[in-house]
Amino acid sequence: MPERDPIRIRGARQHNLQGLDLDLPAGELIVLTGVSGSGKSSLAFDTVYAEGQRRYVETFSAYARQFLERMDRPQVERIDGVPPAIAISQVNPVRTSRSTVGTMTELADHLKLLFARAARPFCSGCGREVRRDTPAAIAAELLGEHGAPPWPAGTAAAVTFSVAVPAGLDREGLDEMLSSQGYTRRYERDGAVEVVQDRLRLEPSRRGRLAEALEAALAQGRGRAQVWALGEDREPVGEPRRYSAALHCPDCDRDYPEPSPERFSFNSPVGACPACRGFGRIMEIDPALVIPDDRLSLAGGAIRPFRGGASQECQADLLRAARRRGVATDVPWRALDEADRRWVWEGDDRRGRGGRWYGVRGYFDYLERKSYKMHVRVQLSRYRAYRLCPECGGARLAPAALDFRLGGRAAADAVLAPAQRFRPRHVAMADATLQALPGLTLHDLATLPLARLAAFLDALELPPPLDEAAATVLAEIRGRVGYLDEVGLGYLTLDRQSRTLSGGEAQRINLTTALGTSLVNTLFVLDEPSVGLHPRDVGRLVGILERLRDAGNTLLVVEHDPQVMAAADRIIDLGPGPGERGGQVVFNGPPAALAAAGSATAAA
């Protein structure tokens, strides 16, 4: 790789910098150190990064620049050789609850691609794997080519398909219609008409005939076919084997959607839970806030919003209605029986007409209709609270997405006990059946600590046949999860909200995300990335920094940790003191030379 020009800084006077002239070699890990207030951040962020970002933004059109962050030109005579710059600070700017560790690291985007290509759907009713049945695969199953057959070899069987009887057509007319199409046999079971495509014995020598019959039955049955075992009287015995050429469970008669990346994203209308719209929580009136003190009576103001203001009229309505109904108004709320408390809350008639009590819920429904007014929104906010979405249970995803599972039984059991796996609300199968299913759902993966997620991904084997794209996506996911674990974030989960992260956690996530994007010839400016790390994890952080440097990037790191300083290619010590006594270069050279010089910063 040809040697690149350094970043040349001349006459830097930003904040307390004393007209610095400095060269920062490209492709090095450079640590800025010094006492607090010595000018480290002024040099790293307010001068070098600000100029790099300003120049990068200026390369865009005037229209595009209005949407990008623009920084003021730093107080410096001249800066040359500044590459595109990325600042990774300890400030966590995320405020939206839609942002999670998964979206922040782009792992959510990669996982939805992997699930769309490699996950398998399992019926939420019976637990059977939902797959497209082909004539060849069905024949192989019936003949026991890949396992025990459903019936003994040589069993007489009938391949059938169901038909809908047109209205007004009697049985004689149906027989004539079928006969004209070449079908002479049919069965009637539970009101359904099963047309016999072929009858034969299940023997390997008749595999071709069996596959041909199955293909015709699937075509005539609009993608569905049945195979019955026949008794000595050539009549069906027991229940049939049902098959479908689509993503359909023939046993439960349930259809399943085609997998697509949007199906596995809570930020997409296709994949988001329709109840909470992908937030995982819903906001509703909290009875504990409406009735904060259950020792009060109805007459004594147990219903808090009815105590004063314009809502006092509702208090009068409540007391009049309670007297008519015979509900005690002078006993504590906790002493009322359940029926009376439910009446107070739900009311007689939600419309509130004819002198009937509209209920506390009716009162809040009225406020909801007036929520375009600011004072009404303020009133509602006093009594609202967030709770887990009752439909998705916090998974954020629509039910169809939670029917798909990735991986096998052994890999899943190694990282998550069967009893601890997520049970979607729409699943009807028994707990034992659910816990015996292979693999994990996307929500299971999102709630795994990253260290355990890494173990699951390492053991994951993609089922054939899959294209190279799925393997590439899996390799990218493994790499990013591994980076996060390396910098000491193995305890985080992908569903952790980004706004709850500390500054140090957010910085290390951004650092590993930058590593995963494979950027080159870029300037990374970091602010004390070792803060909050256990000493044993600092070495892992150093490894991440060295990988970024070895990829051809320049790193300018504000840091005091001795382990990080020792790993640097160059240390720049600013000082000698804080404020007006700072802003000068006390030392500029390799770590070994700093130790030999015995600077005041090293001694401290």
Side-chain angles (χ1 to χ4, degrees):
M1 180 181 295
E3 185 174 345
R4 289 176 287 162
D5 293 335
I7 301 172
R8 295 186 176 91
I9 305 169
R10 298 294 181 265
R13 301 183 184 278
Q14 187 73 15
H15 301 318
N16 66 333
L17 299 180
Q18 305 296 319
L20 283 184
D21 292 337
L22 188 64
D23 287 352
L24 303 176
E28 286 191 358
L29 171 54
I30 304 170
V31 169
L32 290 179
T33 190
V35 298
S36 179
S38 62
K40 303 182 296 298
S41 295
S42 297
L43 175 61
F45 289 93
D46 300 330
T47 302
V48 179
Y49 169 70
E51 182 65 11
Q53 180 70 357
R54 186 184 68 83
R55 292 185 182 183
Y56 176 67
V57 171
E58 285 184 351
T59 63
F60 292 90
S61 66
Y63 176 78
R65 287 201 297 269
Q66 66 181 321
F67 302 106
L68 300 173
E69 178 187 6
R70 306 182 68 177
M71 304 187 73
D72 295 332
R73 181 183 179 88
Q75 298 296 313
V76 62
E77 294 178 5
R78 183 173 180 177
I79 299 183
D80 296 321
V82 182
I86 295 176
I88 304 178
S89 65
Q90 291 197 23
V91 177
N92 185 0
V94 179
R95 293 293 178 266
T96 173
S97 59
R98 279 199 177 274
S99 178
T100 64
V101 171
T103 60
M104 191 176 180
T105 59
E106 299 179 356
L107 281 168
D109 293 326
H110 287 80
L111 280 171
K112 72 182 183 183
L113 292 174
L114 184 63
F115 262 74
R117 290 179 176 271
R120 296 175 293 163
F122 289 82
C123 178
S124 56
C126 63
R128 168 180 174 172
E129 182 178 351
V130 181
R131 60 190 178 189
R132 294 179 180 87
D133 294 316
T134 64
I138 301 172
E141 176 186 318
L142 294 173
L143 297 176
E145 294 178 359
H146 304 298
W151 299 298
T155 298
V159 178
T160 69
F161 58 90
S162 300
V163 296
V165 180
L169 186 67
D170 57 18
R171 291 294 178 262
E172 184 177 347
L174 176 63
D175 289 338
E176 290 181 0
M177 182 187 70
L178 293 174
S179 179
S180 66
Q181 299 176 15
Y183 295 103
T184 59
R185 298 184 182 89
R186 62 176 174 83
Y187 303 125
E188 290 192 36
R189 304 279 293 203
D190 301 325
V193 176
E194 297 286 334
V195 179
V196 178
Q197 178 67 42
D198 196 1
R199 294 191 301 183
L200 72 167
R201 292 194 177 276
L202 299 178
E203 298 172 344
S205 60
R206 304 191 182 189
R207 192 185 195 285
R209 178 179 168 182
L210 174 60
E212 183 179 342
L214 289 167
E215 183 176 3
L218 288 170
Q220 296 295 331
R222 297 183 178 181
R224 301 181 188 180
Q226 295 74 236
V227 179
W228 304 76
L230 301 180
E232 294 182 359
D233 57 357
R234 308 289 279 177
E235 289 294 318
V237 177
E239 290 297 315
R241 304 283 294 183
R242 297 181 175 89
Y243 300 97
S244 174
L247 286 181
H248 173 85
C249 177
D251 292 333
C252 300
D253 196 20
R254 299 187 184 188
D255 291 311
Y256 291 85
E258 295 292 329
S260 64
E262 295 78 14
R263 180 72 55 190
F264 303 101
S265 171
F266 57 79
N267 283 323
S268 166
V270 176
C273 168
C276 65
R277 294 177 296 176
F279 284 96
R281 300 183 301 168
I282 61 173
M283 188 168 59
E284 61 179 18
I285 301 301
D286 186 351
L289 297 177
V290 177
I291 308 172
D293 189 351
D294 62 3
R295 297 171 297 180
L296 298 178
S297 64
L298 295 178
I303 312 300
R304 183 181 177 186
F306 294 172
R307 292 178 188 173
S311 299
Q312 281 186 317
E313 181 182 346
C314 298
Q315 174 74 357
D317 291 344
L318 169 61
L319 296 180
R320 283 195 297 270
R323 285 193 292 270
R324 288 197 302 268
R325 183 180 173 87
V327 176
T329 61
D330 56 352
V331 301
W333 172 261
R334 67 172 66 165
L336 292 176
D337 61 43
E338 182 61 29
D340 288 342
R341 283 187 290 184
R342 189 183 310 111
W343 172 81
V344 172
W345 191 266
E346 300 292 343
D348 293 317
D349 189 331
R350 297 287 297 277
R351 294 171 298 180
R353 296 176 181 175
R356 295 179 180 273
W357 169 235
Y358 39 80
V360 175
R361 186 182 297 278
Y363 163 78
F364 281 108
D365 287 347
Y366 170 79
L367 291 184
E368 291 284 358
R369 295 192 293 271
K370 301 292 183 180
S371 61
Y372 58 87
K373 300 179 180 179
M374 177 60 73
H375 72 279
V376 174
R377 291 200 297 272
V378 172
Q379 172 77 346
L380 283 169
S381 67
R382 295 172 181 165
Y383 303 104
R384 281 174 168 167
Y386 284 101
R387 73 181 181 94
L388 208 62
C389 174
E391 294 300 318
C392 68
R396 299 175 176 238
L397 295 168
L402 298 172
D403 290 326
F404 286 78
R405 309 178 76 86
L406 183 68
R409 178 71 182 273
D413 289 348
V415 297
L416 187 64
Q420 296 176 344
R421 292 173 196 168
F422 180 67
R423 180 184 178 89
R425 183 173 182 268
H426 71 284
V427 167
M429 71 188 82
D431 286 340
T433 304
L434 177 66
Q435 293 170 14
L437 293 181
L440 298 175
T441 65
L442 184 55
H443 184 57
D444 286 326
L445 297 185
T447 55
L448 280 179
L450 290 174
R452 279 198 275 165
L453 177 59
F456 175 81
L457 294 171
D458 289 341
L460 180 62
E461 295 181 1
L462 296 180
L466 286 177
D467 54 23
E468 293 182 3
T472 302
V473 170
L474 178 58
E476 183 69 22
I477 296 172
R478 284 171 173 165
R480 295 196 178 208
V481 173
Y483 295 152
L484 291 167
D485 192 26
E486 282 186 35
V487 294
L489 298 177
Y491 58 90
L492 292 180
T493 60
L494 293 180
D495 70 339
R496 170 87 172 264
Q497 290 191 15
S498 301
R499 63 183 181 181
T500 67
L501 298 171
S502 69
E505 289 171 334
Q507 185 184 44
R508 276 176 275 153
I509 285 176
N510 288 329
L511 180 63
T512 55
T513 301
L515 184 59
T517 57
S518 302
L519 290 173
V520 296
N521 297 328
T522 303
L523 172 65
F524 289 91
V525 184
L526 293 93
D527 183 16
E528 299 190 66
S530 68
V531 169
L533 274 182
H534 191 279
R536 69 184 179 189
D537 293 324
V538 174
R540 298 178 176 181
L541 172 65
V542 169
I544 295 293
L545 298 177
E546 290 175 340
R547 289 187 192 181
L548 280 172
R549 177 202 60 194
D550 295 342
N553 300 296
T554 303
L555 282 77
L556 190 58
V557 184
V558 177
E559 188 56 84
H560 299 93
D561 186 274
Q563 194 172 347
V564 178
M565 294 170 66
D569 299 306
R570 178 177 302 273
I571 293 179
I572 299 176
D573 188 0
L574 295 181
E580 294 181 354
R581 296 189 296 113
Q584 302 177 46
V585 176
V586 177
F587 174 84
N588 182 358
L594 174 62
S599 71
T601 301

